[in-house]
């Protein structure tokens, strides 16, 4: 029934249970033994108390395994019933497909029936998840593990199915997929409860066995540390601070007296405890209180071990049981007090014993335990490392390797997990360990892979023998507890004068269990550091707060009430105060011994300082490059094809900047935004004057964030056409998940998770998330939400001085540069360790072992600064008792303002993470300063992130005076505002939050940053406080001058003598620093610099227009245009290489320069030299940052962040010189997010990270200028979006206007439409005026003949003119390309949801062409939604015709004319979306495409009708497309006339017009009143033209092409009879006999217009309308690429002699001919060159034969209209594919110059000869054989032939 193996009782198990019951009854004090059946079924086996720190680990699994091991027969194999067909079998889901995982349903409302309770079940296939079930309470045990009914009753919370009566049936339903018989005791694990946020979470364990693994409150736990083989071990607790320590609570002994007594008399343990017997050989004293050495862990362990989440503490009473003596260690009383040491036990191999007694004086650390689990690596992980299972090390090898590692550690070094992991990895890979294990062992190595268990003891002793007693080896044969007990006993009995070893390695060599070991850390320094490093930052800050509140520091405070000389500190200060009376030290312009009255000091105000003139926000080249990279990546996201971002729909940009909870940082960011002008540039605000306006855009992540963020989200939803950007600045600060933020940390965290990972942000299609971080490691895990392709990395900087670089140029001085500076070989390095201070600290640590080391550090630091101030003012005897570093800093701080005329000085930053200690330091130092009379000399400021800056009024007045501010309300709000103020800034808070510091910051005192900061982020972000931009001359290697060029070396020696002297001067502790000298130059690196001056304007500012001019030639034209400023006055782009202090975004103002009194106000100012800041570190931090090549661990090898963990102890190495891109790849491969991390649940079913497509990461070093970069990104993003809404259109002055005859024709008063009678009387303007025909042959007119020679000479000399364009904003009536998407036209241009590209039909359409003389078959691809425009046959759905409207239709809302758009090569860029241009009205638009391009156009325009030309036209020009359009349209007109005639419609009433429109027409305009024009829709233009009276009498109608001159003046005539092109309303009926030349590539429109004019057909252009033609550099009529076999070919080689062996060209014959005539006809027609009076006669065609040759067009058709050529002598004759209308008699009437050139062009040589004979050309023209040519293409491509001759 769920509690047994199907009710069957195995005999072996029964016998064993009976035996145990009898044995227990004999040993028990109870009168009645327990029944054996109750023991088997109802009451679980009694278990000795194991009050373990579970760390959220499931002990039930271990117990179940033990249950199986107790039986002598294997469990019955279980055959699971197959799931019903079609049901879901996915783990974590029920068979109905509903999700049961706790992480998925935690926030859902689950209805629980009365009497039922929600419990959590565990599936072996997904151990990391809990499945939620509803179970009847009657079948669950009570608080004592009893009274559970047999059987089962439960419901499925997923699908709602109820009434499961068997757990077997229920386990099948929820897909547990068990290999053994289902048991509710084994798989129902936890009660489920709701947390404070109402989310369902894991509660206490279900106690199926009485008192089993019940937990007490932390202060009542006995500790059973876990072994390396137990799943209760946390593998990442070393650097990730998984465990914490507590002190023993006094007064608890009586509370546990009964528990200990009961534990001595409890029943027997399980069978595995073979050593149990009634009398314990180790007596347990009644006063031994089980107080824990470790608090229950509330953070997630390593996911490799698949442990569960933390459990709340159970509150029920515990009934402890007896503990086996061999497994128990009693911790002696007063261990810490007597020995001064709290031993740390490092878990190794094997099972540690239970600890009882004074367990608060020991610490159990799993620091290295994960290093010993290499056997658990899977095959995939080993393949990554290139190793196999044969390479893995044995237990003996690992023990010996650990021992050698401990031997090689120095006295001030502690074991570090990452360092030992590197050693293990190198041993496995067979690499030498000289870098790691040299030391005292030299190069001695052991054969690691061949150590037997028997060799281990003596090899261990051998390895420890060279340690000089720092490492001892203790070998036992029973258990580890035996060795631990012996070590603790020795520790208490050891005489005080005898030295203890730092490490004791306990090895248990057992034949039964093999070799086991652990390490006891007894070194006073090592044990304290290891214990403290196990605490998280929040935990040790709470520990410090507890010590301060409870008064534990009273003895330490008493110690510091006296000076180092033994004098009473307060009395000394009071005595000096009385001596000083009412005087204070002069604020400036005087030494510390010059005093004035308090009122006089308060009234002293310095003069205005020129160095503090107005700061201008500037964007520099690196920031601009990063902004462009961000923009490029956003474009890549939009172009990725995932449809996650549609940039074409946005017309604006809005943003929200999220910053950590720091008041200073909020003001700093607001100042950046205000100075940058980005709000004005984005059009969000007109002017930014008040702070209230900026609150909408900068939000602090505190408890007030929710309301502001909800307002922002509402704005996102209400503005779908605005692209919003959330910028999460310093995003590494808080990435705790929302659910675990309050539960595991005890404080409300997870705000960033709630904001940037909420469903609204993830789903918003108009929202980008940009996370900005200097330490992005916590964002680069296996569960990262950011794709690695969306990471933008700041380029790495190099500080090497080049020969060309300026000494004033600023370079970034990063953390790596600080490490490299240690190799400069100078005695005053930038990165320093105060050894004297460390020695003092070590002495105090020994004296106060129970206090946290940071408390001791802080008190000592306060004392040092106190005594330094006293030593420099009145008590010089304290000099020798103050460290040189401290004395030098204070001397600089106090003396420099006195030497400066304005009181300028340096800033000292002291980092004190604890707020209580920081307040104590500020209070104490301020008190001492005031008593010494220095309160007007320098300020002491508490930098608390949660509060505003509090500065004394006289210092605020001084800051205002320096800057020349007259506003009395101005107060400093950022640290940068404190520039020049001599002050001590005590910066507090858990982490630095990204604030920028002034350039006057010189010293960063980080002596409190010690071994508690054991992650890379925690350590490096502290050093990042000092990183800034510095002058390049300031960081030149002082010893590297010999490597510089001689000239530069001389310049450097001349300019930087003071710098070199400062760096080379040794530092002293005594007389070097005197109260009288006070020389900063004697003690500081950067004291010799000149007074900081503002750079000259020529260096600081350049005209941004010059930069834009250079950028405009870049291939990335769009991005460059986005970078440009519209208003140069507001330009933020500056190309100067040096960064001034005013560049707030680049944090150059964070660097300091030294201040000195000005020699003369008239003296020429020099650019200030900005020096790196001096950093004073603790010894542990200094070792991690030093760059010595001794194999020592570097900070880059540490765990990257406390919120992540290593996925394997064996991994490749990360080197400090690797790029940030390589580091990202490394961390994404080897780190995983912990359970409280916001990214922990970011995995799909395949355990792969789910990248958010619209999330980016910007990473760069601290204070490098990331703020300016992302503000510039916002600006250029907005410009790009506007650029997408802008278009470049042709704006060209019309040509040939001087030859145009503009007759004064009187039109009717309402000139909306033309009068046919007037139009027919108007002469046709032969000259094309569009500038696109600038390079074509002019057409002869009588007016041209008089001026052509001058113009020809001018044209011949002019270089090719680039076509002019202008950028305009698109309107609502524009035509768009495929990049445009919006809700309105979505169904017009895109496939509707659920539809496919195949939802269209291909129809063939065949007709006879009289021009071609054959049938032509075209294909229509018609979407189903457009079939109503066509007529299909009743049977077979055969396409019959295209529906045409009637002329008589008067409906003004319909568009009658079908629109044909021939297009090629522009499937993406062609303006084929005319939905908006048509105002959404119904229309018929047909794209005419070539056969090979059909798939592309069908893909990009699935809802458009495609007319596919035959394959023979694949290489044809635009003339072929227009020819086929016209032929098809006329044939369709006849079909429609026949169809409608049967319906009673007159044939002439069928609409005969079509529109042929280019794919580059973008906008249409109406010119009503000059100047100006009004944008109108294409629909309005077409409807107006279609309403023209007598429209069927017009052959062609068109409109003007726009240019700015046309917009400036109203046309003289509203209508013209002239050339029409690009947009044509063509009457296919009236122009039936006039065809486009299907062979033409160029000028087909001029040729067609001339043919229509010669046929006396009226052409009319509407001058009151114009179209704008977009410049599209892709596709269209662009020249074909002529592809010769070897080299480029000039146009003169496009023809050759027939049958020539010349290299043939891969190009169409017609194209080669037209290009040849265009470029070389001046050689072909020498008489016509620059001779407008004797043009070349072209019959029935117009060809471009060059600008130097004038063409006379003549039609040979009967009744055609030609120009009067009487008396005109031609200089040449061009016969192009002439037909039968050209006769010999016709040619003989024409006159030609002697020597005129004839050119006859035919399809082949045969027709060429026939034409010569038919036209009798040999009578007047002389021909030669060598004058016959052909186009230079292969014969397969049918070349054209032509023959030239001369007139006789």
């Amino acid at each position: 029934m769920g509690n047994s193996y199907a009710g069957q009782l195995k005999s072996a198990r029964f016998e064993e249970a009976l035996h145990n019951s009898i044995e227990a009854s004999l040993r028990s004090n109870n009168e009645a033994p327990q029944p054996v059946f109750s023991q088997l079924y109802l009451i679980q086996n009694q278990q000795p108390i194991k009050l373990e720190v579970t760390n959220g680990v499931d002990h039930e699994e271990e117990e179940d395994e033990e249950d199986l091991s107790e039986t002598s027969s294997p469990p019955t194999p279980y055959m699971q019933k197959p799931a019903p067909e079609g049901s879901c079998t996915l783990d974590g889901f029920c068979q109905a497909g509903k999700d049961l995982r706790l992480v998925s349903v935690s926030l859902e409302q689950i209805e629980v029936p009365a009497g039922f309770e929600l419990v959590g079940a565990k599936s072996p296939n997904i151990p990391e998840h809990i499945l939620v079930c509803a179970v009847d309470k009657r079948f669950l045990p009570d608080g004592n593990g009893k009274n559970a009914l047999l059987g089962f009753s439960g419901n499925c919370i997923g699908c709602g199915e109820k009434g499961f009566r068997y757990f077997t049936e229920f386990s099948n339903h929820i897909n547990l997929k068990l290999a053994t018989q289902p048991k509710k005791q084994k798989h129902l694990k936890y009660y489920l409860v709701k947390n404070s946020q109402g989310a369902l979470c894991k509660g206490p364990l279900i106690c199926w066995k009485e008192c089993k693994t019940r937990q007490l409150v932390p202060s009542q736990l006995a500790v059973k540390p876990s072994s390396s083989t137990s799943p209760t071990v946390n593998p990442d607790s070393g650097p990730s601070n998984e465990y914490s320590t507590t002190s023993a609570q006094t007064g608890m002994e009586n509370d546990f007296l009964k528990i200990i007594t009961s534990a001595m008399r409890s029943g027997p343990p399980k069978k595995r405890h073979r050593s149990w017997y009634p009398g314990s050989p180790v007596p347990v004293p009644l006063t031994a209180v089980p107080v824990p050495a470790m608090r229950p862990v509330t953070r997630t362990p390593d996911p490799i071990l698949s442990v569960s989440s933390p459990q709340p503490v159970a509150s029920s009473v515990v009934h402890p049981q007896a503990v086996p003596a061999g497994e128990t260690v009693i911790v002696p009383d007063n261990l810490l007090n007597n020995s001064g040491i709290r031993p740390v036990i490092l878990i190794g191999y094997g099972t540690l014993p239970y600890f009882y007694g004074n367990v608060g004086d020991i610490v159990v650390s799993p620091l290295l335990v994960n290093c010993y689990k290499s056997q658990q690596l899977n095959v995939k992980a080993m393949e990554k490392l290139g190793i196999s299972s044969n390479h893995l090390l044995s237990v003996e090898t690992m023990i010996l390797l650990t021992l050698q590692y401990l031997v090689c550690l120095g006295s001030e070094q502690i074991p570090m997990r990452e360092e030992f992991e590197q050693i293990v990895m190198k041993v496995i890979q067979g690499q030498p360990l000289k870098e790691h294990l040299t030391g005292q062992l030299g190069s001695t190595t052991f054969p690691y892979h061949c150590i037997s268990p028997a060799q281990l003891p003596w090899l261990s002793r051998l390895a420890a023998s060279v340690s000089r007693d720092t490492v001892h080896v203790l070998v036992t044969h029973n258990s580890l507890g035996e060795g631990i007990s012996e070590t603790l006993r020795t520790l208490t009995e050891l005489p005080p004068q005898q030295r203890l070893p730092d490490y004791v390695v306990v090895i248990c060599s057992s034949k039964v269990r093999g070799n086991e070991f652990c390490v006891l850390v007894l070194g006073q320094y090592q044990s304290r550091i290891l214990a403290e490093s196990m605490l998280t930052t929040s935990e040790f800050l709470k520990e410090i707060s507890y010590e301060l509140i409870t008064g534990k520091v009273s003895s330490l405070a008493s110690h510091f009430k006296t000076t180092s000389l033994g004098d009473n500190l307060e009395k000394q200060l009071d005595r000096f105060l009385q001596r000083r009376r009412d005087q204070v030290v002069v604020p400036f312009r005087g030494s510390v011994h010059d005093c004035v009255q308090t009122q006089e000091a308060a009234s002293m105000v310095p003069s205005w300082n020129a160095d503090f003139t107005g700061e201008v926000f500037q964007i520099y080249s690196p920031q601009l490059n990063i902004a462009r990279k961000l923009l490029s990546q956003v474009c890549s996201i939009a172009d990725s094809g995932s449809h996650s971002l549609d940039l074409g729909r946005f017309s604006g940009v809005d943003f929200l900047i999220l910053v950590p909870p720091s008041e200073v940082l909020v003001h700093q960011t607001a100042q950046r935004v205000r100075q940058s002008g980005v709000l004005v540039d984005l059009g969000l605000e007109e002017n930014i004057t008040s702070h209230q306006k900026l609150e909408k855009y900068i939000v602090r992540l505190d408890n007030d964030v929710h309301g502001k963020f909800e307002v922002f989200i509402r704005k996102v939803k209400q503005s779908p056409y605005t692209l919003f950007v959330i910028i999460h600045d310093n995003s590494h600060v808080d990435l705790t998940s929302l659910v675990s933020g309050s539960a595991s940390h005890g404080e409300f965290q997870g705000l960033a998770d709630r904001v940037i990972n909420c469903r609204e942000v993830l789903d918003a299609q108009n929202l980008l998330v940009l996370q900005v971080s200097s330490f992005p490691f916590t964002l680069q895990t296996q569960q990262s939400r950011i794709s690695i392709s969306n990471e933008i990395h700041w380029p790495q900087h190099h500080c090497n001085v080049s020969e060309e670089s300026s000494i004033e140029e600023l370079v970034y001085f990063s953390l790596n540069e600080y490490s490299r500076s240690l190799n400069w070989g100078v005695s005053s390095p930038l990165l320093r360790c105060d050894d004297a201070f460390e020695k003092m600290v070590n002495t105090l640590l020994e004296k106060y072992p129970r206090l946290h080391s940071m408390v001791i550090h802080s008190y000592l630091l306060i004392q040092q600064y106190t005594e330094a101030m006293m030593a420099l003012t009145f008590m010089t005897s304290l000099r020798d008792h103050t460290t040189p570093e401290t004395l030098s800093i204070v001397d600089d701080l106090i003396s420099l303002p006195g030497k400066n005329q304005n009181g300028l000085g340096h800033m000292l930053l002291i980092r004190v993470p604890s707020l209580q200690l920081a307040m104590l330091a500020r209070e104490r130092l301020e008190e001492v300063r005031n008593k010494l009379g220095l309160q007007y000399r320098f300020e002491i400021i508490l930098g608390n992130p949660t509060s505003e800056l509090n500065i004394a009024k006289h210092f605020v007045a001084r800051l205002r005076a320096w800057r020349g501010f007259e506003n009395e309300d101005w107060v400093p709000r950022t640290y940068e505002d404190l520039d020049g103020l001599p002050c001590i800034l005590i910066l507090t808070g858990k982490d630095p939050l990204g604030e920028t510091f002034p350039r006057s910051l010189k010293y960063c005192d980080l002596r409190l940053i010690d071994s508690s900061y054991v992650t890379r982020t925690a350590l490096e972000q502290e050093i990042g406080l000092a990183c800034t931009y510095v002058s390049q001359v300031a960081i030149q290697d002082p010893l590297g001058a010999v490597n510089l060029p001689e000239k530069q070396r001389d310049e450097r020696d001349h300019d930087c003598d003071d710098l070199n002297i400062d760096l080379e001067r040794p530092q002293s502790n005594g007389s070097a620093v005197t109260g009288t000298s006070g020389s900063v130059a004697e003690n500081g690196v950067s004291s010799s610099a000149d007074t900081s001056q503002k750079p000259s304007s020529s260096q600081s500012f350049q005209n941004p227009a010059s930069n834009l001019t250079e950028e405009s030639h870049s291939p990335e034209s769009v991005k460059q245009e986005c970078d440009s400023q519209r208003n140069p006055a507001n330009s933020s782009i500056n190309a100067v290489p040096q960064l001034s202090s005013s560049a707030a975004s680049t944090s150059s103002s964070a660097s300091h320069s030294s201040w000195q009194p000005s020699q003369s106000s008239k003296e020429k100012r020099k650019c200030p030299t900005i020096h790196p800041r001096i950093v004073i570190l603790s010894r542990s931090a200094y070792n991690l940052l030093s760059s010595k090549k001794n194999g020592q661990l570097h900070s880059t090898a540490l765990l990257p962040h406390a919120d992540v963990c290593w996925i394997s102890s064996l991994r490749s190495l990360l080197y400090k010189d690797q790029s940030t891109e390589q580091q990202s790849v490394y961390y994404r491969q080897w780190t995983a997010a912990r359970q409280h991390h916001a990214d922990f649940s970011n995995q799909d079913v395949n355990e792969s990270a789910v990248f958010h497509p619209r999330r980016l990461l910007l990473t760069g070093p601290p204070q490098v200028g990331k703020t300016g970069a992302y503000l510039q990104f916002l600006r250029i993003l907005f410009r790009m979006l506007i650029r997408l809404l802008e278009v470049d259109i042709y704006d060209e002055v019309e040509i040939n206007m001087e030859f145009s005859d503009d007759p004064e024709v009187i039109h009717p008063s309402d000139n909306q439409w033309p009068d046919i009678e007037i139009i027919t009387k108007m002469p046709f303007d032969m000259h094309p005026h569009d500038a696109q025909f600038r390079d074509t042959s002019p057409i002869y007119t009588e007016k041209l003949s008089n001026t052509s020679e001058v113009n020809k000479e001018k044209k011949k000399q002019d270089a090719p003119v680039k076509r002019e364009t202008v950028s305009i904003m698109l309107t609502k009536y524009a035509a768009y390309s495929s990049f445009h998407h919006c809700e309105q036209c979505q169904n017009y241009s895109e496939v509707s949801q659920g539809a496919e590209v195949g939802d269209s039909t291909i129809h063939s359409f065949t007709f006879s062409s009289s021009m071609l003389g054959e049938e032509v078959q075209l294909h229509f691809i018609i979407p189903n939604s457009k079939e109503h425009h066509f007529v299909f046959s009743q049977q077979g759905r055969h396409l019959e015709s295209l529906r045409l409207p009637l002329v008589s239709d008067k409906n003004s809302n319909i568009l009658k004319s079908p629109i044909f758009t021939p297009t090629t090569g522009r499937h993406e860029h062609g303006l084929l979306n005319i939905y908006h241009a048509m105002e959404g009205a119904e229309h018929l638009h047909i794209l005419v495409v070539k056969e090979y391009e059909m798939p592309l156009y069908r893909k990009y325009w699935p809802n458009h009708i495609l007319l596919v030309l035959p394959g023979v036209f694949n290489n044809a020009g635009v003339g072929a497309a227009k020819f086929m359009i016209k032929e098809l349209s006329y044939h369709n007109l006849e079909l429609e006339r026949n169809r409608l005639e049967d319906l009673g419609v007159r044939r002439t009433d069928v609409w005969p017009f079509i529109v042929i429109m280019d794919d580059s027409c973008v906008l249409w305009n109406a010119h009503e009143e000059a100047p100006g024009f009004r944008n109108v829709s294409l629909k309005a233009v077409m409807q107006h033209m279609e309403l023209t009276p007598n429209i069927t009498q017009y052959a062609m109608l068109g409109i003007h092409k726009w240019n700015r001159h046309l917009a400036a003046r109203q046309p003289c005539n509203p209508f013209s009879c002239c050339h029409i092109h690009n947009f044509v309303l063509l009457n296919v009926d009236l122009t039936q006999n006039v065809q486009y030349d299907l062979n033409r590539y160029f000028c087909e429109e001029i040729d067609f217009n001339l043919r229509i004019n010669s046929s006396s057909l009226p052409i009319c252009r509407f001058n009151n309308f114009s179209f704008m033609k977009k410049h599209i550099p892709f596709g269209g009529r662009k020249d074909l690429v002529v592809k010769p076999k070897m080299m480029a070919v000039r146009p003169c080689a496009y023809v050759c002699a027939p049958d020539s062996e010349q290299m043939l060209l891969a190009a169409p014959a017609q194209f080669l001919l037209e290009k040849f005539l265009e470029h070389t006809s001046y050689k072909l027609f020498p008489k016509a060159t620059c001779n407008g009076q004797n043009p070349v006669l072209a019959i029935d065609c117009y060809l471009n034969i060059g600008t130097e040759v004038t063409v006379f067009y003549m039609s040979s058709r009967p009744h055609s209209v030609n120009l009067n050529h009487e008396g005109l002598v031609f200089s040449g004759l061009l016969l192009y594919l002439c037909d039968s209308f050209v006769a010999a008699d016709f040619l003989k009437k024409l006159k030609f110059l002697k020597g005129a050139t004839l050119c006859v062009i035919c399809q082949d040589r045969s027709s060429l000869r026939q034409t010569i004979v038919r036209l009798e050309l040999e009578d007047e023209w002389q021909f030669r054989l060598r004058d016959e040519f052909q186009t230079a293409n292969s014969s397969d491509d049918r070349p054209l032939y032509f023959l030239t001759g001369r007139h006789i």
Side-chain angles (χ1 to χ4, degrees), residues 1726-1769:
K1727 294 287 186 180
T1729 304
C1730 301
N1731 182 8
Q1733 296 180 352
N1734 302 107
V1736 173
L1737 176 62
I1739 299 179
D1740 293 335
C1741 74
Y1742 171 81
L1743 284 172
N1744 180 17
I1745 54 178
T1747 57
E1748 299 88 351
V1749 179
T1750 304
V1751 173
F1752 187 99
Y1753 177 83
M1754 182 179 293
S1755 174
S1756 64
R1757 298 313 191 257
H1759 311 294
S1760 60
V1761 177
N1762 294 312
L1763 286 177
N1764 183 15
H1765 59 277
E1766 183 178 353
L1768 188 62
V1769 181

Side-chain angles (χ1 to χ4, degrees), residues 1108-1119:
L1108 303 181
T1109 304
E1110 296 176 0
E1111 294 172 358
S1112 62
H1113 300 287
S1114 172
E1116 302 178 357
S1117 58
V1118 174
K1119 295 177 186 175

